[in-house]
Amino acid sequence: MDLVAEVLASCARTPRATAIIDPRGRELSFGALRERVLRIRDRLAGAGFEPGQSVLYAVQPSPDAIAVALGAVAAGGTLVFADPGLAPGVLEARLRLARPGWVVAESFLYAITATAAGRALVRRRGVLLPALSQAAVRHAYTGRWLPGVPSGAVRLHGLDAPFDAALGEADLDAPAAVIFTSGTTAHPRAVVHTRRSLAAGLQIFMDRFPLGPGDVVHTDGLMLGLPALIGGATWSMPGSLDGRGVTHLYQVPVEAARLTELPGTVRHLLLGSAPAPPAVLRRCLEICPGEVHSVYAMTEALPIALASAEEKLAYSGGDLLGEPLPGVGVRFTADRELVVSGPHVARGYLGEPPVTEVPTGDLARLDEQGRLVLLGRKKDMLLREGFNIYPSLYEPSIAALPGVREAALIGLPDPATGDEEVVLALVPGDGFEEQAVRRRLPEVMDAGALPDRIQVFPDFPRAGRSHKLDRPALRDQLTRPR
């Protein structure tokens, strides 16, 4: 299955039906979406875009964002997903690894990043924006033109030129998406998905949750939004749920914990991106008129397993993940780490050899019914709002900052939401100034990994003959009343 061809075929079948509802509640038809995708593909090709080129993609969720993404992939491109909150140094490291030939961004993002004053304005609001217009690549933009859009940038909004309805033969094994996971300025790491692996993941989801006309899927994720479009259902983007007739709702557990009610149209509430604690599962069962499921997945393999809220709450032998979905292969290493395989597994990591399976970093087992049960994490990983944070990636760089002798990132789980508070524990050295350290953190950390608070200790607890950091003891000290 070619995901672009499938979406466009669905658009052609029901051109007047609603394809997308944007965050403000405005609707876009399937016919209009098809025209936008094909015009963007042709516009890029006419401007010199060549198959195999990478596109740094910095567009907020919207119908235009989806049209641009599909149009770029239809032109043979690879989307390199960019986080506007990245520190400039982190973005530069990722650009060096991905080597995109194009940048596609919203015009207002170009406008803000074009001047030091604009970048300083948003930085005071906690957002770090790199100077996108200074990247030595070709540029394209969505939205109306604004000062700061690079000279010669290709306009992708409001196109009305005739388009070619034919689709060339796609190379399904060519890269289609590059998704960066946690990484430092020096060692960024990115998952590479092909059109084939992405389509296989979509198919696994569609086999479990068939979608069709009349269904409305409320999500900001491509891996659930695209199946909606392929099936002829409506993709509802994050915004008010009122009046949209939402039938399928996707939520991160920390978001679900804040829900007070759901529309009576919801048939399926899907929780994912992080473990769902019992309190959240019970709350969702109380307010959801339909079924509640927890999805187990990872960037490298979307999805892996599924379990209902009732099953998870009734299970006492660990965190029940559910039976592996059809087509998903699982095995376990000697130390019980779960390793997954299947057609939906990413091709590998950017700049590294291809893989046929991927270790999850989770310790697990199969129960007597063939269901996966999570036992714990192999890696010392923190999880906040769906973002994986690996302390060992950041701690050496933080400890090298002026005035810092030692650094440790510790997660303190919230039993009510399942999310983690990220605490940066520091042992001060000569010339230590907490505010100076805080100002330097964005230079050495991903925006999604920045700590919620900083705690200073005279020294860290140690364990064993090697006097290594005793993380459990440090975590215990952080939870004690001060």
Side-chain angles (χ1 to χ4, degrees), residues 113-129:
T113 63
T115 65
R119 293 193 297 274
L121 175 64
V122 293
R123 187 176 295 116
R124 285 196 293 272
R125 299 181 181 180
V127 179
L128 291 165
L129 292 174

Side-chain angles (χ1 to χ4, degrees), residues 275-307:
V280 172
L281 294 173
R282 285 191 288 267
R283 177 61 179 161
C284 289
L285 285 173
E286 290 174 0
I287 64 173
C288 182
E291 299 178 350
V292 179
H293 288 88
S294 181
V295 182
Y296 176 63
M298 59 189 304
T299 304
E300 294 89 337
L302 299 158
I304 296 172
L306 188 84

